[in-house]
Amino acid sequence: MPPIKKTASPRKVNPVAKKAPVRKKAAKKPQTFPLVYKFIALIVLLILCSPLYYGYVLKLFSSATRWVLDIGQDPNYRTYTSYDIRIPKKYSVHGIDVSYYQGKIDWKKVRSMKEDDVKISFAIIKASEGIMSVDPYFQRNWREAAKAGIICGAYHFFRPQKSGDWQARFFLQTVKFEQGDLPPVVDIEQLNGVSPKQMRKALADFLEHVENKTGVKPIIYTGLSFYKDYLRGHFDEYPLWIAHYYQSALNLDATTNWILWQHSDKARINGINHVVDFNAFRGDSLAFQQILIK
């Protein structure tokens, strides 16, 4: 019988092969910023979150925008951002006029407001109307404006259908004018159903009575059109206060006896929660002092 050949037994293989150990990489230490950088970053963050920062940015943006919009505009009639109106630049004495429409006024804030060389130097306050109506805020405004250092004037809203003499008496009962005040003012804007001749007669009676009692020529306030249509040539000896809005110059002959110009009816003033009429005096501060009651 032939010899049996032996076959080599199969090599045993370990089912779990041993892998060579993997060398771990050393973990990177987190990078830290120096304390001074952290402090700077905190300061920057606080600035960016501050409303003052955004106020500054908005103010800068607004000024730049205004500058662009003003290119090509009349340099003598520029926009004053604080007052939110355009103001003729050649005038140095500025003021406002108020009535109950403006509500309760903080006159200290009015007095302290200023942009460049524009500030509120005077206020003309409504006192009365017709023969029975007193402005409910007159006494407070008359007292508080003067306490704040603002030169005051008072005006009467004239009703041509009423007696001019009686309206003058009523006005002077309401207001006690003193040295340093602006002259009395009569506001005439309407015919109220009477003829121009009747209106002028009643107005002349008012002016005569007030002048006799105060020793001062009253100021006549009116609109430019009303003046040209009904008053021009009749009261030339009296100083005028003319309303003529949104213009760089008052369209009147240079010989016209006007001393005050109401050039805007929508100014924004600190301490007042309603738009306000804004006025300019025709002359410098010395001339302004000369028109005050002596």
Side-chain angles (χ1 to χ4, degrees), residues 79-135:
T79 297
Y80 286 77
T81 306
S82 299
Y83 299 100
D84 198 25
I85 58 171
R86 307 190 78 189
I87 300 175
K89 287 187 66 177
K90 68 177 182 178
Y91 300 96
S92 59
V93 182
H94 305 270
I96 59 175
D97 57 277
V98 299
S99 69
Y100 69 92
Y101 284 114
Q102 278 70 41
K104 189 175 180 180
I105 297 173
D106 187 331
W107 286 102
K108 290 182 179 179
K109 289 185 178 179
V110 173
R111 185 70 179 94
S112 62
M113 186 176 184
K114 185 176 181 180
E115 182 177 346
D116 293 342
D117 57 346
V118 176
K119 62 181 180 179
I120 308 302
S121 298
F122 66 89
I124 303 177
I125 303 164
K126 184 179 181 182
S128 53
E129 178 177 336
I131 57 174
M132 294 184 65
S133 177
V134 175
D135 189 286

Side-chain angles (χ1 to χ4, degrees), residues 62-285:
S62 177
S63 298
T65 303
R66 188 70 264 165
W67 182 84
V68 172
L69 292 176
D70 282 345
I71 293 176
Q73 299 294 324
D74 186 344
N76 294 316
Y77 187 48
R78 58 157 284 201
T79 297
Y80 286 77
T81 306
S82 299
Y83 299 100
D84 198 25
I85 58 171
R86 307 190 78 189
I87 300 175
K89 287 187 66 177
K90 68 177 182 178
Y91 300 96
S92 59
V93 182
H94 305 270
I96 59 175
D97 57 277
V98 299
S99 69
Y100 69 92
Y101 284 114
Q102 278 70 41
K104 189 175 180 180
I105 297 173
D106 187 331
W107 286 102
K108 290 182 179 179
K109 289 185 178 179
V110 173
R111 185 70 179 94
S112 62
M113 186 176 184
K114 185 176 181 180
E115 182 177 346
D116 293 342
D117 57 346
V118 176
K119 62 181 180 179
I120 308 302
S121 298
F122 66 89
I124 303 177
I125 303 164
K126 184 179 181 182
S128 53
E129 178 177 336
I131 57 174
M132 294 184 65
S133 177
V134 175
D135 189 286
Y137 278 92
F138 171 69
Q139 293 299 337
R140 183 186 186 279
N141 285 334
W142 188 249
R143 179 183 67 251
E144 297 299 320
K147 282 170 59 176
I150 295 174
I151 295 171
C152 294
Y155 75 90
H156 174 85
F157 191 89
F158 193 77
R159 292 295 185 184
Q161 74 275 29
K162 307 289 184 181
S163 165
D165 185 70
W166 278 105
Q167 289 189 74
R169 293 173 186 271
F170 181 57
F171 178 46
L172 294 181
Q173 288 174 0
T174 306
V175 188
K176 304 302 179 185
F177 289 97
E178 298 178 356
Q179 181 179 350
D181 293 335
L182 282 163
V185 178
V186 57
D187 177 343
I188 173 69
E189 305 176 34
Q190 305 165 353
L191 291 177
N192 289 138
V194 305
S195 69
K197 184 177 179 180
Q198 289 175 292
M199 177 273 294
R200 287 191 287 266
K201 173 62 170 64
L203 180 59
D205 291 343
F206 179 97
L207 295 168
E208 182 180 357
H209 184 91
V210 172
E211 185 173 358
N212 288 339
K213 292 297 183 180
T214 64
V216 179
K217 277 192 178 299
I219 298 170
I220 299 175
Y221 167 91
T222 192
L224 182 61
S225 296
F226 194 91
Y227 167 74
K228 290 181 176 180
D229 292 341
Y230 305 115
L231 300 178
R232 182 163 53 184
H234 296 278
F235 299 95
D236 293 345
E237 69 273 26
Y238 290 94
L240 296 172
W241 174 16
I242 300 294
H244 182 50
Y245 302 144
Y246 323 134
Q247 304 295 323
S248 60
L250 180 54
N251 186 22
L252 274 175
D253 187 275
T255 60
T256 305
N257 188 24
W258 71 270
I259 62 171
L260 292 169
W261 173 22
Q262 187 183 85
H263 57 79
S264 178
D265 61 347
K266 58 180 183 179
R268 293 289 180 179
I269 308 294
N270 293 346
I272 305 179
N273 295 322
H274 196 282
V275 291
V276 186
D277 298 330
F278 209 87
N279 305 273
F281 171 71
R282 186 187 187 186
D284 58 18
S285 58

